[in-house]
Amino acid sequence: MIIQNGVIRNYYVIAPYILCGLMDTTCGMVRGLGRAWLPMLVSLTGACLLRIVWIWTFFRWTHTLEMLYISYPISWIVTAAVHAVCYFVIWKKLRAKLEEMERCQAQMKAANQAIRRHKTDEARAAALVALGFSEAEAQTLVKPDYVGRLGFP
């Protein structure tokens, strides 16, 4: 009986154990994007709470060792899937933020080039306004800072 139960455990828990690694990898991917609380909460919910709910519901209806052990790979799959969804949502937001920063950087580089290209403050301000800066922003950029630099540092 003990060996038979061990074989059942191996079949339901150890054979699909790669799913646990997949769950941990997707969790680390979300952490790598700078989020620590979200993967922790998803892992606790998926690996702990889901199994408790499983025991209270499905295991209660079918009280077998197989029904208990199948909760492990199911919780790994569900948790990995939720981590993957979180990863792609966060990645999409970060990509949008990065694209906006790159757009701002390109605008700053163009402003610095316009400032270097023109010699008078009026010509510099006019070039900055032509690039899309307001008149007030252009006046601020052509005025030297505390070390005498013009434009964006």
Side-chain angles (χ1 to χ4, degrees):
M1 183 71 165
I2 293 174
I3 293 176
Q4 183 183 4
N5 287 343
V7 169
I8 292 171
R9 183 178 189 283
N10 285 345
Y11 181 76
Y12 284 100
V13 178
I14 294 176
Y17 200 71
I18 192 168
L19 298 172
C20 182
L22 181 65
M23 177 188 72
D24 290 338
T25 301
T26 54
C27 179
M29 289 167 47
V30 176
R31 274 194 220 111
L33 293 178
R35 305 296 199 280
W37 284 93
L38 181 63
M40 179 195 68
L41 293 174
V42 169
S43 293
L44 283 173
T45 303
C48 298
L49 186 63
L50 181 62
R51 290 182 194 158
I52 292 170
V53 170
W54 183 273
I55 289 170
W56 286 345
T57 55
F58 296 106
F59 184 66
R60 182 174 283 173
W61 293 331
T62 309
H63 201 74
T64 63
L65 200 53
E66 290 87 355
M67 186 57 78
L68 178 65
Y69 285 148
I70 196 72
S71 69
Y72 286 92
I74 289 174
S75 67
W76 296 332
I77 290 169
V78 169
T79 306
V82 173
H83 280 307
V85 168
C86 292
Y87 174 81
F88 287 114
V89 168
I90 294 168
W91 178 254
K92 186 177 178 182
K93 288 180 182 179
L94 286 176
R95 287 295 302 170
K97 189 175 180 180
L98 176 63
E99 288 170 4
E100 174 63 21
M101 290 178 166
E102 287 174 340
R103 187 195 62 75
C104 289
Q105 181 189 22
Q107 188 179 25
M108 287 186 249
K109 287 165 99 176
N112 285 342
Q113 287 174 350
I115 289 171
R116 284 192 301 272
R117 194 176 318 119
H118 297 90
K119 301 301 177 201
T120 65
D121 286 348
E122 293 81 23
R124 290 174 177 157
L128 291 172
V129 169
L131 288 174
F133 290 95
S134 70
E135 190 67 39
E137 290 171 328
Q139 291 303 321
T140 303
L141 289 171
V142 298
K143 186 174 128 184
D145 65 2
Y146 64 96
V147 234
R149 295 177 298 195
L150 298 175
F152 292 98

